[in-house]
Amino acid sequence: MPPFTDIARDIPLPDKENDNPDYRHPLYLGDWKKSIPYVDEDIATDDLDEPHMKRKITILKKYPEIEKFYGYDITTIPITLIAATAQVVAAYVFGQILLDWNWTMLLYSYVVGASLTQLYGVIIHETTHCLAAPTRFQNRIIGLIANIGLPFPIAMSFRRYHLEHHTYQGVVGMDPDLPLDWERKLIRGNALLKFIWLNIYPAMYVIRGLVMQKPPQFWEYVNWIFTITTDFLIYKYCGLRGLIYLFLSLWLGYGVHPAAAHFIQEHYTFDDGQETYSYYGILNYFFMNIGYHNEHHDFTKIPWSKLPAVRKIASEFYDNLAFHTSWFMVHYNFVTQKQFGPQSRVGRTVEDHKRGRQQLRKIKKLKD
């Protein structure tokens, strides 16, 4: 079977730490085998906590200068303003000027509108981790501005559930990013069903959140009011057609769009023992390094613009992990290869998660 990821072969592995209680160090790769549809019935299972917190401690022991990258990147603000303005202008053009240009609007929605939709998602992701401005309140406002180009209130709910994903990565019943039982059992490795599933991914994000059965929080209500207001204003000044353009861009952007492949790239298991993957390709330049997912999970306090520097400094930790170089091939391999499907994830029980976390104290002492 051909490899579906790349790995550097000329960089020595990092040194092992004596007395480290986690057998997975220093790269923190598990000994589990990836789940394969029609062979396995469920996702793969790890017996400890997610690897990122421990790998961060190990990396900082060798490269403490990485902490100087902690903070925020204020250039995210003008990027947000320009991107939001561009989408509203497009909605006005298609809603009030190019009224008969249906195929042009559809093509533009996929090429430009969907790309901007993905960019808004990256910006909202940055604000979720308070990486765009000094205060939490300021980051929430920037997230709402990015949400103007999205006709559905995403920013604040994403913030809530995404932070839970970081805290409980892979914990069954607690990580909202894990596919639901029916997704895994129905779709399995069927190419057509996987393609359809990718096209309804926007709906799946909403459904997974609803399954958690958690009441909305204050800022989620704010997001709803804000988005209903902006949708009404777009409808008033850009017309129904302008609003339809935004919905098209949203759906296409979160469906089978090259940048949407990062949803698959990040945690779907293309290799044994590794549950998080980075993408090192040219589209990172437009999508604010969202592909640097291992680096992000290891260092959630570092903004998008500094993640390549983290990889460069700690190259033996990242280039010895499997990574992707093409988002197109991520989608293509995921859809066409029967060995991949929604069950291509790894999970853990909350008990194993807690047991792994109990090792942190000893690992931190090794750090000193």
Side-chain angles (χ1 to χ4, degrees), residues 6-131:
D6 291 309
I7 189 170
R9 304 188 185 280
D10 57 347
I11 298 178
L13 290 167
D15 296 330
K16 285 182 171 288
E17 293 178 311
N18 293 327
D19 300 322
N20 191 308
D22 192 323
Y23 70 89
R24 303 173 299 175
H25 82 287
L27 295 179
Y28 293 92
L29 298 175
D31 61 3
W32 47 267
K33 300 296 183 181
K34 65 184 180 183
S35 175
I36 300 176
Y38 310 115
V39 175
D40 303 298
E41 294 299 321
D42 207 344
I43 60 176
T45 302
D46 192 20
D47 59 355
L48 286 171
D49 55 334
E50 55 83 19
H52 300 288
M53 186 174 291
K54 292 173 179 174
R55 189 161 62 220
K56 177 183 74 173
I57 294 170
T58 301
I59 291 174
L60 287 178
K61 177 181 178 181
K62 188 172 183 179
Y63 302 111
E65 65 269 25
I66 287 178
E67 287 188 328
K68 71 181 180 182
F69 297 137
Y70 287 8
Y72 58 91
D73 188 341
I74 204 166
T75 61
T76 303
I77 298 176
I79 292 173
T80 305
L81 295 174
I82 293 170
T85 301
Q87 194 75 318
V88 173
V89 169
Y92 180 82
V93 169
F94 287 115
Q96 300 290 0
I97 301 174
L98 303 181
L99 298 179
D100 297 323
W101 293 43
N102 296 327
W103 288 107
T104 302
M105 185 175 81
L106 181 62
L107 179 63
Y108 190 92
S109 297
Y110 183 79
V111 176
V112 179
S115 298
L116 288 173
T117 291
Q118 278 294 326
L119 185 60
Y120 302 143
V122 176
I123 293 167
I124 289 169
H125 176 262
E126 288 292 299
T127 63
T128 291
H129 292 283
C130 294
L131 300 175

Side-chain angles (χ1 to χ4, degrees), residues 150-169:
L150 304 172
F152 195 81
I154 291 175
M156 297 302 120
S157 293
F158 176 84
R159 183 183 192 280
R160 178 185 187 183
Y161 290 110
H162 183 70
L163 293 177
E164 291 181 358
H165 160 63
H166 274 268
T167 303
Y168 302 109
Q169 180 182 317

Side-chain angles (χ1 to χ4, degrees), residues 283-294:
L283 291 179
N284 276 315
Y285 289 105
F286 182 80
F287 295 104
M288 299 170 62
N289 294 327
I290 192 64
Y292 285 77
H293 207 62
N294 264 307

Side-chain angles (χ1 to χ4, degrees), residues 192-358:
L192 177 60
L193 292 180
K194 284 187 288 185
F195 182 77
I196 294 172
W197 178 72
L198 289 175
N199 278 283
I200 64 169
Y201 219 77
M204 292 315 307
Y205 257 71
V206 176
I207 293 171
R208 291 175 191 170
L210 292 174
V211 168
M212 304 296 286
Q213 295 183 336
K214 295 184 178 181
Q217 296 179 339
F218 170 76
W219 276 97
E220 291 178 276
Y221 287 117
V222 171
N223 199 166
W224 274 95
I225 295 170
F226 179 84
T227 301
I228 290 172
T229 302
T230 56
D231 284 353
F232 172 77
L233 291 173
I234 289 171
Y235 173 77
K236 180 177 180 180
Y237 292 104
C238 302
L240 177 61
R241 185 179 165 87
L243 195 59
I244 290 174
Y245 163 77
L246 294 186
F247 275 101
L248 270 175
S249 298
L250 173 63
W251 200 268
L252 295 172
Y254 279 82
V256 185
H257 185 274
H262 79 84
F263 296 128
I264 303 300
Q265 158 238 311
E266 292 169 350
H267 296 295
Y268 283 81
T269 52
F270 284 75
D271 293 85
D272 296 332
Q274 184 173 328
E275 63 181 289
T276 304
Y277 299 79
S278 288
Y279 156 77
Y280 302 133
I282 192 171
L283 291 179
N284 276 315
Y285 289 105
F286 182 80
F287 295 104
M288 299 170 62
N289 294 327
I290 192 64
Y292 285 77
H293 207 62
N294 264 307
E295 294 82 351
H296 165 66
H297 264 268
D298 289 353
F299 296 97
T300 57
K301 295 180 180 180
I302 295 179
W304 63 275
S305 55
K306 302 298 183 182
L307 294 177
V310 173
R311 180 198 177 195
K312 183 176 181 179
I313 291 172
S315 59
E316 68 270 37
F317 288 93
Y318 295 112
D319 289 344
N320 283 301
L321 296 174
F323 55 84
H324 297 281
T325 57
S326 169
W327 272 335
F328 173 80
M329 291 306 298
V330 168
H331 266 162
Y332 179 80
N333 289 328
F334 183 81
V335 171
T336 61
Q337 298 293 323
K338 288 186 177 181
Q339 64 175 297
F340 303 126
Q343 73 183 69
S344 300
R345 296 293 296 264
V346 61
R348 50 184 53 85
T349 65
V350 67
E351 291 77 19
D352 284 338
H353 169 77
K354 291 179 179 178
R355 183 166 61 87
R357 283 294 193 252
Q358 290 172 355

